[in-house]
Amino acid sequence: MISIAPNLHLRTASRVLVRLGEFYASAFPELRRKASRLPWEHYLAPERPIALRVTCQKSRLYHEGLCSERLAGAIADSLGKPPTVQKYTMKARMADPPS
């Protein structure tokens, strides 16, 4: 695993993106179940607010608001406490794999 600490302290970076994992989900309950298995606790703390920016391109899960809610729920499942969700700053992308 690559440490993100140096990037967080650089004053030149406006954001740091980390790929936590990749999976296929064709329904919202499946999205929450699989997203809750990602290692959120390595990067997020329950007492710190989070922000999600979700886009859905070529995806069966086309409702960005519901995707964002399910991701916040998955983070709560993983951390054991619901996070405080703020305005958009982080991006999650939903896409079906190419056929």
Side-chain angles (χ1 to χ4, degrees), residues 40 50-54 67-69 71-72 75 85-92:
W40 299 105
I50 63 165
L52 299 170
R53 179 178 166 204
V54 177
C67 288
S68 181
E69 286 178 14
L71 286 174
I75 293 169
V85 180
Q86 294 182 338
K87 197 123 174 136
Y88 308 123
T89 58
M90 186 171 81
K91 184 175 183 177

Side-chain angles (χ1 to χ4, degrees), residues 9-70:
H9 296 291
L10 287 175
R11 294 187 181 196
T12 57
S14 62
R15 64 184 177 179
V16 176
L17 302 177
V18 177
R19 183 180 300 251
L20 296 180
E22 187 173 314
F23 57 85
Y24 175 81
S26 61
F28 291 111
E30 183 181 14
L31 171 65
R32 182 172 179 159
R33 186 176 63 253
K34 290 183 177 180
S36 66
R37 296 179 188 155
L38 296 174
W40 299 105
E41 64 278 358
H42 293 220
Y43 302 96
L44 302 175
E47 65 276 357
R48 300 289 310 263
I50 63 165
L52 299 170
R53 179 178 166 204
V54 177
T55 59
C56 302
Q57 299 172 352
K58 299 179 185 176
S59 176
R60 292 181 185 175
L61 304 177
Y62 57 87
H63 194 285
E64 295 170 354
L66 285 177
C67 288
S68 181
E69 286 178 14
R70 296 312 185 266

